[in-house]
Amino acid sequence: MFASLFVTGLVRHLRDLATAHHEQTGLLDLTHDAVFVRSLDGVIAYWNRGSEKLYGWGRDEAVGKIEHELLRTQFPAPLDEIRRLVLATGHWEGELHHMRRDGTPIFVASRWSLQKGRYGEPLGILEINSDTTERKRAEEALRRIQAAYFAEAQSLSMTGSFGWNVTSSDIFWSEETYHIFGYEVTLKPSIASVMERVHPDDVALVTSTIERTATQKSDVDIEHRLLMPDGTIKTVHLRARPLTEWIAGKPDETVSTQFVGAVMDVTAQTKAYAALQESQAELAHAARLSVLGELAASIAHELNHPLAALAMNGDAGLRWLDRAEPNIAEASEAMRRVVADARRAGEMIARIRGLASRRSPQRASLALNEVIVEALQCVHYELQSTQIEVLLDLAPRPLTVLADKVQLLQVIINLIINGAQAMATVDDRPRQVVIRSRENETGQALVSVQDSGVGINPEHADRLFEAFFTTKSSGMGLGLSICRTIVEGNGGRIWMSNNSRRGATFQFSLPALRHS
Ligand code: ADP
């Protein structure tokens, strides 16, 4: 009885509203949204055409029914809480799950507005619902497609993602991250699960990185190995950055520190890179052997000097001793020369063995001027026998570079031999090689080898450093390409230019080490 009185009151109120806002009320039937009015207890008092269409219940069937029973509403929060909110604020918005008359479920975006009487007393609730089922389905489908694309892309690129809340220790892993670390997706990830996979030799590096990251909130960019349970080794490249400031909008010590990052399985690239390095080293070695082959006559000649001197001084020594009264002082002097000659020969052989050996490069601090002089010793006879004059213009201040000595020798020897070969046909001017070392204003050590040869054919200029490019009948075309690999591998650059008059100059730079 009370309810029907109440409904009558509400309807009257609505009719009053209708008279006052005639056009607006007409609109209520035009809109596709479901618009209805119900008492605070949920009894439906007004039911527009949109409601009939959306729910399948006619106006006569719906009016007087309890809305939540009729539509079997599922609320996103307890109903009492929502009611309290509406009474306090006059509004509520949220998503509801309803059932149509034919039993099909629908989602609606629902807006509630408290209707008040003349004296401000709450009369009922105006509810406007718009169907979001399709949108939700499309969103869900899109989300699923996006998730599938995302997972597929991560799997294809072997890149997993992760989130790490340093404050709460919570860690999130994408499916691919689980795959890279070799865990089931049911595992709750933790720093311990990461450490369990880190290769024993990289544990110190990873531990210190994690500690530094957590305390300094800095970017992370490391590469390390994993030792998987089946004994295989993976290399991963891990990058992460802190999110704290993005969330807080300002640096705030109290805000939790979170990191978002990516972990890439770079095992294949690392192996390919190692194989490339290996074959480059092979090639460089082969090229060194070929240079030694070219220098064989020189080397033999150079060795002959100390060997002949050895024999001579040995003879002299014996003669001083063979006397009726042996001259010990002269004999000792001859022996000292024997020792010095033997040492010279030994040094030469060591140098050649160094060039001929096949070993992995070892970087060390090298006195650049000394390496230049040693390179010259290797090609000394070659230059002498082809009437090439060498001018040395070395940096007065000692220059130190970090490089592998054999590699550096190889570069300088290559450039000198190329210069010598470019002058082989020169008869109308002095055959001259000028070797310079300098430190430039940006702290780079520079070495240049200038010749007075035929110069570079401009048509070939772009290709000189390419592997297998040669203009020589017996050339391999590897010298300059190996020089470039070595120089760039040590953080430098190599280039060339024609001289203003005759010949060409090849130069390379390497970072110079500071002397403290
Ligand atoms: P190769 O000496 O076996 O030809 P390189 O890679 O050392 O291989 O040199 C490639 C080419 O660059 C040479 O064939 C030559 O044409 C050119 N070149 C190198 N050095 C000089 C130079 N000092 N002057 C003129 N041309 C040069």
Side-chain angles (χ1 to χ4, degrees):
M1 182 61 189
F2 175 76
S4 73
L5 265 180
F6 191 83
V7 172
T8 325
L10 259 180
V11 172
R12 195 176 312 124
H13 174 70
L14 200 77
R15 233 183 277 127
D16 290 350
L17 276 176
T19 338
H21 306 288
H22 182 73
E23 279 179 24
Q24 285 172 10
T25 320
L27 283 177
L28 287 183
D29 264 339
L30 283 180
T31 174
H32 290 295
D33 288 341
V35 181
F36 49 90
V37 179
R38 55 184 166 78
S39 71
L40 292 176
D41 292 337
V43 180
I44 299 169
Y46 173 76
W47 189 253
N48 80 337
R49 218 166 283 156
S51 305
E52 290 185 329
K53 264 208 203 121
L54 181 62
Y55 295 110
W57 295 105
R59 188 169 291 179
D60 296 343
E61 292 170 304
V63 171
K65 300 270 169 34
I66 307 268
E67 181 222 348
H68 307 318
E69 286 175 11
L70 184 74
L71 304 179
R72 281 178 271 167
T73 315
Q74 288 174 27
F75 295 96
L79 185 53
D80 282 347
E81 217 170 87
I82 298 177
R83 275 208 190 107
R84 255 200 309 276
L85 205 71
V86 177
L87 287 175
T89 64
H91 297 283
W92 180 81
E93 273 189 42
E95 188 166 66
L96 300 177
H97 184 260
H98 280 154
M99 203 73 98
R100 285 199 173 101
R101 184 180 194 180
D102 63 8
T104 48
I106 53 169
F107 285 96
V108 294
S110 189
R111 277 159 293 156
W112 298 11
S113 157
L114 188 66
Q115 302 296 297
K116 292 181 178 161
R118 201 164 295 156
Y119 307 106
E121 74 284 12
L123 283 177
I125 288 166
L126 173 75
E127 184 170 331
I128 304 174
N129 293 340
S130 46
D131 187 359
T132 56
T133 315
E134 269 316 307
R135 200 183 74 204
K136 236 184 125 66
R137 204 172 288 149
E139 273 172 9
E140 180 58 22
L142 190 66
R143 207 191 55 74
R144 241 180 284 131
I145 290 170
Q146 277 174 342
Y149 280 169
F150 180 72
E152 197 59 28
Q154 288 215 338
S155 152
L156 274 173
S157 63
M158 296 206 228
T159 305
S161 47
F162 64 87
W164 175 34
N165 186 326
V166 181
T167 322
S168 70
S169 304
D170 282 336
I171 292 182
F172 158 83
W173 280 357
S174 74
E175 218 175 298
E176 183 60 17
T177 307
Y178 277 98
H179 179 75
I180 291 172
F181 282 105
Y183 284 116
E184 294 292 328
V185 288
T186 45
L187 176 97
K188 186 172 169 355
S190 63
I191 296 289
S193 30
V194 174
M195 294 313 297
E196 207 176 307
R197 291 288 189 258
V198 174
H199 192 286
D201 293 350
D202 292 348
V203 164
L205 166 78
V206 176
T207 312
S208 66
T209 307
I210 292 176
E211 279 167 9
R212 196 182 54 241
T213 306
T215 49
Q216 298 179 357
K217 300 171 187 170
S218 51
D219 282 13
V220 186
D221 190 341
I222 57 162
E223 205 166 285
H224 66 86
R225 286 159 301 164
L226 304 179
L227 179 60
M228 305 308 283
D230 65 1
T232 53
I233 292 176
K234 287 184 182 179
T235 307
V236 291
H237 185 167
L238 193 145
R239 298 187 69 174
R241 68 167 54 126
L243 282 182
T244 315
E245 288 182 27
W246 298 358
I247 294 168
K250 57 180 178 186
D252 184 342
E253 290 304 316
T254 60
V255 171
S256 69
T257 305
Q258 304 193 40
F259 282 85
V260 61
V263 53
M264 287 159 269
D265 183 343
V266 291
T267 314
Q269 289 96 310
T270 311
K271 278 194 185 143
Y273 183 70
L276 181 69
Q277 295 281 82
E278 179 62 17
S279 48
Q280 275 177 346
E282 287 284 353
L283 205 59
H285 180 231
R288 278 203 305 276
L289 289 183
S290 115
V291 168
L292 282 177
E294 285 177 46
L295 297 179
S298 269
I299 292 165
H301 187 91
E302 287 283 294
L303 263 179
N304 255 342
H305 272 297
L307 289 179
L310 259 173
M312 205 177 74
N313 284 315
D315 263 355
L318 282 177
R319 262 184 278 113
W320 289 119
L321 291 176
D322 270 351
R323 289 186 164 195
E325 244 180 69
N327 187 333
I328 303 294
E330 289 289 356
S332 298
E333 189 48 42
M335 286 307 127
R336 257 192 289 280
R337 287 198 295 270
V338 164
V339 171
D341 290 332
R343 207 164 272 151
R344 255 171 61 207
E347 278 167 11
M348 259 195 87
I349 289 170
R351 218 162 32 230
I352 293 155
R353 276 179 68 180
L355 283 174
S357 72
R358 165 78 180 93
R359 53 176 220 1
S360 40
Q362 282 149 9
R363 277 193 189 185
S365 300
L366 302 174
L368 189 57
N369 288 348
E370 285 175 24
V371 181
I372 293 175
V373 170
E374 194 170 330
L376 265 175
Q377 282 165 347
C378 294
V379 291
H380 177 250
Y381 180 74
E382 189 72 17
L383 299 180
Q384 210 179 39
S385 63
T386 43
Q387 290 92 47
I388 292 172
E389 183 191 1
V390 180
L391 295 177
L392 267 183
D393 176 10
L394 300 181
R397 219 162 60 94
L399 276 173
T400 313
V401 293
L402 192 65
D404 174 76
K405 186 170 160 192
V406 172
Q407 286 190 337
L408 192 53
L409 277 173
Q410 185 170 5
V411 172
I412 301 169
I413 291 173
N414 261 329
L415 297 184
I416 299 175
I417 290 180
N418 273 348
Q421 289 174 344
M423 293 186 286
T425 53
V426 168
D427 290 321
D428 58 345
R429 54 186 180 271
R431 297 176 182 174
Q432 210 173 53
V433 184
V434 186
I435 304 170
R436 294 190 176 90
S437 67
R438 285 284 179 277
E439 181 174 3
N440 73 4
E441 51 298 335
T442 59
Q444 300 268 310
L446 291 183
V447 176
S448 67
V449 178
Q450 176 190 324
D451 62 60
S452 56
V454 291
I456 298 150
N457 181 341
E459 281 175 23
H460 300 152
D462 289 346
R463 308 189 51 205
L464 296 195
F465 292 96
E466 281 175 19
F468 306 113
F469 176 81
T470 182
T471 55
K472 300 169 193 165
S473 55
S474 60
M476 289 208 296
L478 286 177
L480 288 178
S481 102
I482 288 169
C483 286
R484 183 165 70 176
T485 307
I486 292 174
V487 170
E488 290 181 355
N490 283 290
R493 218 164 63 76
I494 185 164
W495 68 100
M496 48 63 186
S497 54
N498 269 324
N499 302 331
S500 53
R501 293 196 59 209
R502 294 294 180 95
T505 301
F506 282 74
Q507 310 195 44
F508 67 88
S509 65
L510 286 176
L513 291 184
R514 299 261 136 241
H515 295 282
S516 47

